[in-house]
């Protein structure tokens, strides 16, 4: 078999409707399904061959689009390597800091590593996973319900008389996706001979004749499908490249649905394939398949499939023969189950051992242009999250410093908290002034000298306030920036110049010392649990 790669470049927002349960929001898929890809090329073939409404009477058309070719989903392209991404297998997990990746099909994740599941798409390059995000946007529209058989006043007024609105979620323009067309050499040659291999433009998806759906299609030359190496082990894993629709199975029962895959493997070879029986041999989830057929003017019945990314283990008894791998590859590329011409049932061999860390230095996205008010609100949201972390840090520091508290520390901390005030504005100057006015021989002055945080007395922090030397600033890399997703979000929308800039704000200073003083006042004089250590 051979394949042709198909590149899709969105020139306008693209709505590829996803199943949903709301009447005011139309969600979109993250990729072009094989059904959409097949529809694009079927429309191109009909136009090029001038078949009009009689395409079903043309032998070549029926041969190509109803059995001869396989139109495989177009998934996003990773920008740096220009590699087609795949739906991540459901067994793949990564540590929370992104430093390591493991596949549960080949062993358990370390219990102390803080691993969590990975979802979405990723390009696989030399065992390195590079996550790929599909950019989307949401647009608000006004419902005009009087167009069909009505007065049309809503259209003339440019608004809804009843106040009806709805939203479209769409794939943003300027993104690239790559799909595959698989088939025999002569069938691919027939397709290219009819539609050509040059780049062409088309419209797809919902509202494609208004402001949505324009894209550019580029067809690559046909090439042979390379065979993966023959497995050397009895147990190997398969992943669903696309959703799988079985002919007969108990819907929702993954093992029952995957039995049909094993039957197809045995039918195309000398047999000996079995589903693995051990634990952690199947990672699967179901999804609803629901699409609109433009020629019919109606939707297909909704069906249940195993999702792309489902991964399962198969055992090959009796050993591998040279012809087995070729037969297996032909079966996998042809697809298993129903609607294989639309790309359903595509399977691939998967080996999750030795996965490398995710690339740590992705390209810096361009800062989004925000208005002044939006920028202020976004910065306040991020700052509020940082302050919550600062308060936890202050309570921990007060707990560690309690061994240095004098007997009358409760009253002294209450006095410092009172001087700090009830609002952040001017807190730095208020606390600095009371520290400067307090002599070292005074009870409060002695406490400021004896109570130490991170090895430094309180007076050194509060007498001359330097934000970069505060306890939380000295440990911000380990404590404040732990949630990398928050940091990345701030950089992406360009609302702040890094964590260090936020830590210089007076709100952070106030939050830390207010929490420190209150926590210290409540715990001063109380014996530590377990008694004092020698």
């Amino acid at each position: 078999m051979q394949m042709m790669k198909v590149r899709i470049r969105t020139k306008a927002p693209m709505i590829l409707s996803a199943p949903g349960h709301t009447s005011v929001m139309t969600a979109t898929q993250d990729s072009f399904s094989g059904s959409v890809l097949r529809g694009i090329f079927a429309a191109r073939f009909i136009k090029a061959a001038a078949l009009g409404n009689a395409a079903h009477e043309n032998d070549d058309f029926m041969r190509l689009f109803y059995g001869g070719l396989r139109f495989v989903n177009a998934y996003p392209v990773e920008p740096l390597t220009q590699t087609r991404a795949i739906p991540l297998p459901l067994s793949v997990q990564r540590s929370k800091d992104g430093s390591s990746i493991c596949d549960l099909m080949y062993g358990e994740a370390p219990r102390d590593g803080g691993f969590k599941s990975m979802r979405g798409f990723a390009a696989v390059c030399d065992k390195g996973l590079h996550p790929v995000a599909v950019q989307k946007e949401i647009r608000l529209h006004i419902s005009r319900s009087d167009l069909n058989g009505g007065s049309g006043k809503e259209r003339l007024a440019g608004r809804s008389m009843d106040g009806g609105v709805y939203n479209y979620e769409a794939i943003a323009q300027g993104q690239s996706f790559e799909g595959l067309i698989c088939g025999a050499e002569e069938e691919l040659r027939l397709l290219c001979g009819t539609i050509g291999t040059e780049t062409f433009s088309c419209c797809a998806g919902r509202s494609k004749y208004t402001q949505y759906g324009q894209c550019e299609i580029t067809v690559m030359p046909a090439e042979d499908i390379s065979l993966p190496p023959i497995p050397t082990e009895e147990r190997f894993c398969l992943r669903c490249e696309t959703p799988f629709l079985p002919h007969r199975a108990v819907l929702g029962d993954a093992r029952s649905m995957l039995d049909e895959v094993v039957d197809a493997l045995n039918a195309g070879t000398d047999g000996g394939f079995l589903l693995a029986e051990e634990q952690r041999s199947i990672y699967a989830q179901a999804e609803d398949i629901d699409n609109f057929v433009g020629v019919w003017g109606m939707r297909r019945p909704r069906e249940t499939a195993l999702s792309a990314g489902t991964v399962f283990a198969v055992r090959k008894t009796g050993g591998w023969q040279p012809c087995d791998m070729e037969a297996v590859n032909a079966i996998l590329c042809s697809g298993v189950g129903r609607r294989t011409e639309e790309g359903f049932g595509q399977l691939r061999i998967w080996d999750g051992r030795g996965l490398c860390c995710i690339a740590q230095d992705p390209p810096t996205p361009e800062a989004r242009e925000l208005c002044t008010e939006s920028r202020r609100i976004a910065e306040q949201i991020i700052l509020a999250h940082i302050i919550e972390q600062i308060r936890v840090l202050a309570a921990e520091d007060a707990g560690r410093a309690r061994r240095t508290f004098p007997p009358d520390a409760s009253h002294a901390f209450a006095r410092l908290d009172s001087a700090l005030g009830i609002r952040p504005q001017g807190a730095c100057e208020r606390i600095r002034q009371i520290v400067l006015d307090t002599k070292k021989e005074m009870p409060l002055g002695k406490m400021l000298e004896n109570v130490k945080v991170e090895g430094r007395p309180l007076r050194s922090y509060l007498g001359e306030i330097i934000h970069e030397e505060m306890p939380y600033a000295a440990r911000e890399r380990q404590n404040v920036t732990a949630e990398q997703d928050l940091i990345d979000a701030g950089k992406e929308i360009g609302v702040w110049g890094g964590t260090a800039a936020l830590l210089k704000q007076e709100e952070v200073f106030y939050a830390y010392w207010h929490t420190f003083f209150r926590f210290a006042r409540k715990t001063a004089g109380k014996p530590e649990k377990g008694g004092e250590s020698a």
Side-chain angles (χ1 to χ4, degrees):
M1 294 184 69
Q2 289 191 329
M3 67 175 183
M4 293 191 308
K5 296 179 181 179
V6 178
R7 282 288 177 99
I8 303 176
R9 180 78 173 172
T10 57
K11 296 295 185 181
M14 179 74 61
I15 305 174
L16 304 171
S17 299
H21 304 283
T22 174
S23 60
V24 297
M25 176 69 178
T26 298
T28 185
Q29 303 279 6
D30 292 333
S31 60
F32 291 75
S33 68
S35 302
V36 172
L37 196 63
R38 177 171 171 253
I40 290 173
F41 279 86
R44 178 75 174 178
F45 189 96
I46 291 172
K47 181 178 180 180
L51 299 180
N53 295 327
H56 59 284
E57 299 175 0
N58 183 274
D59 292 338
D60 290 339
F61 179 85
M62 298 300 293
R63 172 188 171 189
L64 296 179
F65 295 96
Y66 286 87
L69 298 177
R70 301 289 183 265
F71 295 86
V72 184
N73 296 21
Y75 293 132
V77 174
E78 201 278 320
L80 290 178
T81 62
Q82 288 298 300
T83 303
R84 175 178 179 262
I86 63 170
L88 279 166
L90 299 175
S91 59
V92 174
Q93 294 195 337
R94 72 169 179 177
S95 58
K96 291 183 178 180
D97 61 1
S99 62
S100 58
I101 302 173
C102 71
D103 191 329
L104 299 182
M105 295 294 289
Y106 295 93
E108 295 186 1
R111 295 183 178 181
D112 58 348
F115 279 73
K116 61 181 181 179
S117 299
M118 295 182 69
R119 293 292 184 267
F121 299 101
V124 183
C125 305
D126 297 327
K127 287 291 185 176
L129 294 185
H130 303 271
V132 181
V134 178
Q135 301 298 322
K136 297 182 179 180
E137 60 183 48
I138 296 177
R139 295 189 180 184
L140 176 70
H141 297 271
I142 299 174
S143 175
R144 300 183 179 97
S145 57
D146 68 342
L147 292 180
N148 297 324
S151 63
K153 290 182 179 179
E154 290 185 341
R155 171 64 64 179
L156 294 175
R159 61 184 179 87
S160 173
M161 301 299 186
D162 298 327
V165 296
Y166 60 95
N167 298 279
Y168 277 162
E169 180 187 49
I171 297 173
Q173 67 185 50
Q175 299 181 82
S176 295
F177 299 78
E178 185 176 294
L180 304 173
I181 303 177
C182 302
E185 180 180 0
E186 60 183 55
E187 291 167 342
L188 292 176
R189 188 184 303 116
L190 174 60
L191 178 66
C192 292
T194 305
I195 68 171
T197 57
E198 75 279 3
T199 298
F200 62 91
S201 297
C202 68
C203 293
R206 189 163 183 165
S207 296
K208 60 184 178 181
Y209 297 119
T210 53
Q211 66 196 84
Y212 296 97
Q214 184 179 3
C215 57
E216 183 180 83
I217 310 295
T218 302
V219 183
M220 311 293 185
E223 57 185 74
D224 293 331
I225 297 178
S226 58
L227 298 178
I230 298 175
T232 58
E233 301 175 353
E234 176 184 307
R235 179 183 184 271
F236 66 101
C237 297
L238 294 173
R239 65 173 176 85
C240 289
E241 175 86 357
T242 59
F244 166 56
L245 288 168
H247 288 283
R248 299 174 300 276
V250 179
L251 298 181
D253 182 354
R255 184 167 289 274
S256 170
M257 299 170 80
L258 292 174
D259 281 337
E260 188 169 318
V261 175
V262 175
D263 292 341
L265 293 174
N266 286 323
T269 62
D270 293 334
F273 292 96
L274 299 170
L275 276 178
E277 296 290 342
E278 69 269 14
Q279 291 184 343
R280 299 183 183 275
S281 61
I282 298 176
Y283 288 84
Q285 70 179 24
E287 70 170 281
D288 291 330
I289 302 298
D290 181 13
N291 62 299
F292 184 85
V293 182
V295 177
W296 297 353
M298 59 187 301
R299 289 187 174 274
R300 281 182 180 267
R302 182 170 293 185
E303 302 185 78
T304 301
L306 284 182
S307 297
T310 293
V311 61
F312 56 99
V314 177
R315 291 194 176 276
K316 175 67 170 72
T317 61
W320 285 91
Q321 303 300 322
C323 59
D324 286 343
M325 197 62 236
E326 184 175 353
V328 168
N329 193 67
I331 293 171
L332 301 186
C333 292
S334 296
V336 181
R338 294 184 294 110
R339 297 172 62 179
T340 54
E341 65 276 3
E342 298 173 58
F344 290 99
Q346 289 283 310
L347 303 172
R348 301 290 185 267
I349 292 179
W350 171 253
D351 186 352
R353 291 170 292 192
L355 294 176
C356 299
C357 298
I358 303 170
Q360 296 296 316
D361 297 316
T364 303
E366 295 181 2
R368 301 180 184 178
E369 290 295 330
L370 299 179
C371 67
T372 303
E373 182 64 14
S374 297
R375 187 181 297 274
R376 185 191 65 81
I377 294 174
E379 184 170 301
Q380 288 302 313
I381 292 173
I382 297 174
L383 180 61
H385 188 88
I386 295 295
I387 286 176
E388 288 301 315
Q389 294 176 313
I390 290 293
R391 287 177 176 145
V392 174
L393 186 61
E396 294 174 349
D397 287 348
R400 284 191 291 265
R402 65 181 299 182
R403 294 173 182 268
T404 64
F405 292 174
D408 57 347
S410 180
H411 174 74
F413 283 127
R415 184 179 174 188
L416 288 173
D417 191 30
S418 176
L420 196 64
I422 61 174
R423 58 179 60 87
Q425 291 76 17
C428 292
E429 181 58 28
R430 289 193 297 269
I431 198 70
R432 190 182 71 86
Q433 193 60 49
I434 190 174
V435 170
L436 293 178
D437 292 343
T438 302
K439 298 180 180 179
K440 293 183 179 181
E441 59 272 14
M442 298 172 63
L444 178 59
K446 293 179 180 179
M447 191 201 74
L448 291 172
E449 294 294 335
N450 295 329
V451 175
K452 292 181 172 58
V453 179
E454 292 296 303
R456 291 179 54 183
L458 287 181
R459 185 181 288 274
S460 69
Y461 290 115
L462 305 178
E464 183 180 356
I465 296 175
I466 302 175
H467 291 287
E468 292 84 355
E469 296 181 3
M470 290 294 151
Y472 49 84
R475 302 202 306 279
E476 61 95 6
R477 181 174 299 277
Q478 292 78 21
N479 295 281
V480 181
T481 63
E483 298 213 10
Q484 191 61 40
D485 291 343
L486 180 73
I487 305 304
D488 293 341
K491 291 180 180 178
E492 181 179 352
I493 61 178
V495 299
W496 54 303
T499 308
L502 280 182
L503 295 179
K504 295 178 182 179
Q505 296 199 20
E506 202 162 27
E507 290 94 331
V508 176
F509 175 90
Y510 179 86
Y512 178 86
W513 290 111
H514 178 61
T515 304
F516 184 96
F517 295 151
R518 295 194 65 183
F519 191 87
R521 179 169 57 87
K522 291 180 180 179
T523 57
K526 295 182 180 179
E528 295 186 72
K529 294 182 179 179
E532 294 183 0
S533 59

